[in-house]
Amino acid sequence: MSLDLASFYQYTPENEKTTVYIQTPDGEEMEPCDALLVAQTKFRKLYITLERRRRYLVFTQVPDSEELEMEFLHDYEEVETLLEDAGLDGIHDGEQGILYHNLLYLLMNP
């Protein structure tokens, strides 16, 4: 029995998911978009959105600040580099690494 996306997201730990607000195509409103954490390094977190057209979203910790910068990645090389950096840190240990369970779920449920 497969697990639907809404149920998977509901039972995902809070520290492995986020909701971002993006502009609607007409540019007049903001709508919520859920995303799952798939990899993180010491200063960056990579999320994949759960919308039909998946997008890569990265949060970067600003040095010497508690502020986070958010950006959508359009170049797959950047995504690949971040995944590689996280992979070098090993299996996700709560601080760094790749969250294989979230990544595998997204790959198996396009």
Side-chain angles (χ1 to χ4, degrees):
M1 183 169 106
S2 66
L3 186 61
D4 67 282
L5 189 56
S7 297
F8 185 83
Y9 189 79
Q10 177 184 355
Y11 293 105
T12 298
E14 289 298 318
N15 63 341
E16 294 180 14
K17 62 185 177 182
T18 192
T19 300
V20 294
Y21 292 86
I22 55 175
Q23 281 188 324
T24 57
D26 62 14
E28 293 186 20
E29 295 183 33
M30 300 293 276
E31 63 182 19
C33 179
D34 295 328
L36 285 174
L37 179 65
V38 294
Q40 74 184 63
T41 63
K42 189 171 182 178
F43 299 106
R44 302 179 86 196
K45 292 183 177 187
L46 177 66
Y47 291 86
I48 298 178
T49 63
L50 303 184
E51 58 197 332
R52 188 152 207 49
R53 184 181 134 248
R54 305 265 197 244
R55 292 192 275 178
Y56 300 95
L57 170 70
V58 67
F59 286 99
T60 304
Q61 180 72 47
V62 176
D64 301 322
S65 172
E66 291 193 23
E67 185 179 328
L68 289 176
E69 291 179 351
M70 180 189 89
E71 70 177 304
F72 284 98
L73 300 179
H74 302 288
D75 180 4
Y76 189 74
E77 283 186 26
E78 290 180 83
V79 174
E80 189 175 35
T81 300
L82 186 55
L83 283 169
E84 186 176 300
D85 290 347
L88 292 174
D89 290 331
I91 294 175
H92 188 263
D93 64 5
E95 297 292 325
Q96 295 175 235
I98 296 176
L99 285 80
Y100 290 101
H101 53 280
N102 288 348
L103 188 56
L104 182 61
Y105 180 81
L106 291 171
L107 289 171
M108 299 297 291
N109 296 281

